[in-house]
Amino acid sequence: MYLALMNQDLIAKVASLEENGGLLPSAAKNMKTWLEGGFLSETSLSSLGELLDAGNADELNNRFYREIAFGTGGMRGRTIGLTATSLEKGDMDTSGSPANPGVGSNMLNEYTVVRATLGLFAYAKAYHDREGIATPPKFVIAHDVRHFSRFFCELAASVWAKKGGEAFIYEGPRSTPQLSFSVRHLGATCGVVITASHNPPHDNGFKAYFSDGGQMVPPNDTGVIDQVNATPFVGLQDYIGIDLSKVTVLGAELDEAYAQCVANCVIDQDVFKKTDLRAVFTPIHGTGAVATLPALKKLGLDPLVVPEQFEFDSNFPTVKSPNPENSEALAMATKLAEENDCDLLMATDPDADRMGVAVKGADGKMVLLTGNQIGSIMAEYRISKLKEMSWIPEEGGQNCALVKTFVTSPLQDAIATNHGIKVVNTLTGFKWIGEKLRIYQDEACEKSGLSDYDSLSLKERADLLQKYSTFYVFGGEESYGYLPNDTVRDKDANAACALFCEIAASLKAKGSSMLEYLDAIYLKNGYFLEGLGQLVYEGAAGAAKIARILETYRSTPPTEFLGSAVSKFTDFGVETVLDPDGKEIPKQDLYFVELESGYRYAVRGSGTEPKIKFYLFGKEGVSGADELGAIKSKTKASLDELKEAILADAGKRAES
């Protein structure tokens, strides 16, 4: 009765704030739905009362203007409000840890996690019924080090078990690629990682995978979305209490199996015996501490670690952002590497699916590489090494493929093409690369009659796939995500660290350096440079601006920049685009603009952050090493000027 009276009082306050205080109609509607649902705890009701009494319409609008989207990759958003209430904060100001997730339909909290898990279970159960699978749906959950990650992990496992499914969790934080591996290793129906990758500390996420170990793609993604959206709010309270009595906690054998999987990515493990590779590693307070380091040690490597960043910490206190592509996040590692005359440093983000690196320059200082440069180095080395070891023919072949995203450097297209290797471009998001791996595996198994693909060694897979389908030689994306082979079906920073160490050791043994190797790639393929421009628009008003930019690109595409006319405009949301395998690229609001100058750029809204991104690509021919320096400077100046013009144009479109 007491909670019912609280609900009625708060509903009246919502109506008043909507009428007089700037509460958006959509926010008011969602607040009423939540208050009338009867599932909110006293803590959540008190928090809403505090915000309503303060007349904080801006905070309530951000929390309730929409339902947090369960998109094709799951959910990601704030779990700590911009203005946290007293009960949500608890002693956060002194301890650094909030007491409760923020209440709101656009927040990641106990209610949205329960609803998402119920929807996922409903889809998994229906899938089992359709496929004639008699056993209960099997679900694996991993989590990173963020605020409430363990709570959300245990909550999801509890919900699954209460519904009659089998749920598996780890005893502590684990990396995203280990979840992908575990889904396949355990034969699970699906899996989830509780993570927001390298987002700010106030965010968290619910990232969903299916039985192949890859992020969900059609029809599974849309099927799960439909089930989540159809899950009623009424009754959520029945699942809020956590019961782990029927949940299985995975043991050390899964950690060992995954560490061996990472070590197996190095196909020339003898190279580490030929030289003394000196490296630094930092997990930036994340799961790389329990994922990357054990795998490197299994290979006989013992990198120096940054002690201040080795402990788990939800606030990532030593960096502005736990993003390994930012030089600021690598400052401590850089200092340690230069003090110890190291050859390279490696850093992983909180869930260890992205890797950033810096390498020693001629002056002994560390030089930060871009995600495109790292991927290009890996692609050239991997293809060359596979040829050297006779895994693939010297002339290449169209039954071997490098798989990358459209917005990743065309240098990698050139590298693969010059090696005689097929290039397959996908939409942004590693799930599309994972889908390709599943398609290649399924085709090979169907044609060969093989039923136990996962029992094959990497060499046996290479032979099978080249005979019956397509062998994946390497893949990645510009945003620091790479995957050396198909044992895991998502980007894997742990495996990327192992592979990059293999490359560094090989070059050092030959008396060469990583930067010399990169320049040799440019001399062979031409000089390529990439740039990224982005505009950040927070909240409800920001989402409208991002939508406006995307809408106007479709309705009134640009015609020229800096005196160079647009020679080609591709709208992936309208046009039919086929990949080299003849598969149609799914429709998406992605635009490619090519200029007569030979430069080009792509436009897309971020799927995980409140921003719109512009990916710029410059290319110049190189006739000799003596002109490479001048060409690098010229290309950078041209690309910077183009980026400024593109962002200025986008700003006008946002306000139009």
Side-chain angles (χ1 to χ4, degrees):
M1 177 64 72
Y2 171 68
L3 294 183
L5 290 174
M6 283 186 71
N7 281 340
Q8 293 173 10
D9 179 57
L10 293 175
I11 289 172
K13 290 179 179 179
V14 168
S16 175
L17 189 59
E18 180 184 11
E19 182 177 352
N20 303 311
L23 190 64
L24 293 172
S26 61
K29 179 182 177 181
N30 286 330
M31 288 187 72
K32 290 173 185 175
T33 298
W34 276 47
L35 289 168
E36 291 169 353
F39 57 85
L40 294 176
S41 68
E42 185 174 350
T43 296
S44 295
L45 292 171
S46 296
S47 289
L48 289 179
E50 182 177 324
L51 293 171
L52 285 165
D53 288 343
N56 195 337
D58 288 342
E59 178 68 15
L60 289 168
N61 282 335
N62 287 334
R63 291 185 181 216
F64 281 98
Y65 81 93
R66 65 173 187 174
E67 290 182 12
I68 189 171
F70 192 102
T72 56
M75 303 183 295
R76 188 185 294 189
R78 276 186 172 270
T79 194
I80 302 172
L82 184 62
T83 302
T85 70
S86 56
L87 287 176
E88 290 169 354
K89 289 175 65 175
D91 63 355
M92 183 173 70
D93 291 340
T94 54
S95 70
S97 299
N100 294 286
V103 60
S105 61
N106 189 39
M107 304 279 285
L108 199 79
N109 50 45
E110 58 267 47
Y111 311 110
T112 51
V113 167
V114 166
R115 189 173 185 237
T117 306
L118 289 171
L120 181 57
F121 180 86
Y123 183 81
K125 180 66 169 61
Y127 171 80
H128 272 226
D129 292 343
R130 287 196 310 272
E131 298 296 319
I133 303 172
T135 55
K138 188 181 291 187
F139 184 42
V140 188
I141 313 102
H143 67 88
D144 68 5
V145 304
R146 289 178 173 274
H147 294 297
F148 305 112
S149 282
R150 183 66 183 182
F151 169 62
F152 292 146
C153 169
E154 292 184 349
L155 180 59
S158 173
V159 170
W160 201 270
K162 287 179 181 179
K163 293 296 293 183
E166 293 184 70
F168 299 80
I169 62 175
Y170 283 94
E171 48 77 29
R174 293 297 187 275
S175 68
T176 288
Q178 184 163 348
L179 183 279
S180 172
F181 171 84
S182 299
V183 168
R184 295 178 61 82
H185 190 80
L186 295 171
T189 314
C190 52
V192 157
V193 184
I194 307 297
T195 181
S197 190
H198 56 277
N199 278 32
H202 54 63
D203 285 356
N204 214 325
F206 184 97
K207 190 175 181 182
Y209 294 75
F210 210 59
S211 57
D212 64 331
Q215 294 181 57
M216 293 190 184
V217 296
N220 295 321
D221 58 351
T222 53
V224 172
I225 291 169
D226 290 344
Q227 288 287 358
V228 172
N229 291 338
T231 300
F233 290 99
V234 176
L236 293 184
Q237 67 273 19
D238 297 338
Y239 297 93
I240 296 299
I242 293 177
D243 178 3
L244 300 181
S245 62
K246 296 181 180 179
V247 173
T248 300
V249 179
L250 297 167
E253 65 276 6
L254 259 294
D255 292 330
E256 173 60 27
Y258 174 66
Q260 187 60 55
C261 163
V262 172
N264 289 344
C265 292
V266 175
I267 56 178
D268 183 12
Q269 297 190 12
D270 289 339
V271 72
F272 298 118
K273 301 174 184 177
K274 300 175 183 177
T275 185
D276 176 26
L277 185 68
R278 298 179 61 80
V280 166
F281 171 70
T282 174
I284 317 182
H285 305 290
T287 58
V290 293
T292 309
L293 202 58
L296 294 179
K297 290 190 174 183
K298 184 175 282 290
L299 291 166
L301 298 170
D302 190 20
L304 298 173
V305 297
V306 179
E308 300 92 337
Q309 296 179 331
F310 197 69
E311 298 299 321
F312 295 151
D313 196 314
S314 305
N315 293 308
F316 315 112
T318 62
V319 295
K320 293 179 181 177
S321 169
N323 189 340
E325 66 187 79
N326 296 338
S327 59
E328 179 273 332
L330 305 187
M332 288 183 171
T334 298
K335 183 175 184 292
L336 184 62
E338 291 178 352
E339 288 175 348
N340 290 273
D341 192 30
C342 290
D343 303 299
L344 75 157
L345 68 85
M346 301 164 289
T348 54
D349 67 348
D351 64 322
D353 64 348
R354 300 172 192 265
M355 175 196 73
V357 301
V359 297
K360 184 167 65 174
D363 60 357
K365 299 295 184 181
M366 302 306 291
V367 178
L368 185 66
L369 299 181
T370 69
N372 282 306
Q373 290 172 328
I374 297 167
S376 298
I377 288 169
M378 287 181 164
E380 172 64 32
Y381 176 85
R382 192 72 167 183
I383 296 171
S384 298
K385 197 67 181 178
L386 289 170
K387 287 184 174 182
E388 178 187 320
M389 299 181 71
S390 300
W391 284 36
I392 62 176
E394 180 60 35
E395 68 275 12
Q398 292 303 293
N399 55 355
C400 300
L402 182 144
V403 187
K404 57 181 279 291
T405 61
F406 282 105
V407 298
T408 297
S409 175
L411 172 56
Q412 293 175 30
D413 299 66
I415 289 169
T417 299
N418 285 336
H419 274 289
I421 299 295
K422 176 171 64 178
V423 182
V424 179
N425 280 287
T426 73
L427 293 175
T428 302
F430 223 91
K431 66 179 184 178
W432 302 113
I433 297 177
E435 180 192 36
K436 273 296 178 186
L437 302 187
R438 176 182 57 78
I439 290 171
Y440 294 153
Q441 174 187 330
D442 289 349
E443 182 181 29
C445 289
E446 181 180 353
K447 290 181 178 179
S448 67
L450 181 72
S451 59
D452 190 10
Y453 181 83
D454 285 347
S455 68
L456 300 180
S457 68
L458 295 181
K459 177 62 169 66
E460 290 170 333
R461 293 185 188 195
D463 294 340
L464 178 81
L465 290 165
Q466 287 179 82
K467 183 175 182 180
Y468 294 107
S469 182
T470 297
F471 171 49
Y472 168 87
V473 298
F474 181 74
E477 57 186 2
E478 48 73 40
S479 53
Y480 297 75
Y482 321 98
L483 184 63
N485 58 53
D486 71 350
T487 310
V488 169
R489 299 296 169 90
D490 201 357
K491 52 186 174 287
D492 189 341
N494 311 304
C497 285
L499 173 57
F500 205 79
C501 285
E502 178 188 359
I503 300 170
S506 175
L507 293 173
K508 188 174 184 180
K510 296 174 183 177
S512 185
S513 73
M514 199 70 72
L515 295 179
E516 290 171 343
Y517 190 66
L518 182 59
D519 279 349
I521 293 173
Y522 291 142
L523 291 173
K524 178 181 177 182
N525 300 281
Y527 181 65
F528 292 76
L529 182 66
E530 302 76 35
L532 177 64
Q534 51 191 20
L535 296 173
V536 178
Y537 294 112
E538 297 271 5
K545 290 183 178 181
I546 291 173
R548 183 61 182 157
I549 295 172
L550 294 172
E551 289 166 2
T552 58
Y553 257 85
R554 176 164 293 148
S555 61
T556 54
T559 57
E560 66 88 26
F561 280 103
L562 304 176
S564 182
V566 172
S567 58
K568 185 178 181 181
F569 179 81
T570 305
D571 183 344
F572 282 76
V574 174
E575 300 178 38
T576 297
V577 181
L578 302 179
D579 73 15
D581 297 324
K583 184 178 184 297
E584 183 176 344
I585 303 296
K587 297 290 190 291
Q588 189 180 90
D589 286 337
L590 168 68
Y591 309 101
F592 255 88
V593 182
E594 299 183 28
L595 304 177
E596 288 183 345
S597 64
Y599 285 49
R600 57 179 176 153
Y601 72 95
V603 186
R604 61 177 287 270
S606 172
T608 56
E609 299 171 282
K611 61 178 64 172
I612 186 165
K613 295 184 175 182
F614 302 85
Y615 303 82
L616 289 79
F617 307 98
K619 179 192 174 184
E620 299 286 348
V622 184
S623 58
D626 57 336
E627 66 176 29
L628 184 55
I631 287 175
K632 288 181 179 180
S633 298
K634 172 191 172 184
T635 309
K636 184 179 186 308
S638 298
L639 212 61
D640 286 345
E641 188 179 11
L642 178 60
K643 179 170 73 173
E644 185 177 335
I646 290 169
L647 292 178
D649 173 73
K652 293 177 182 177
R653 291 173 181 270
E655 303 298 335
S656 64

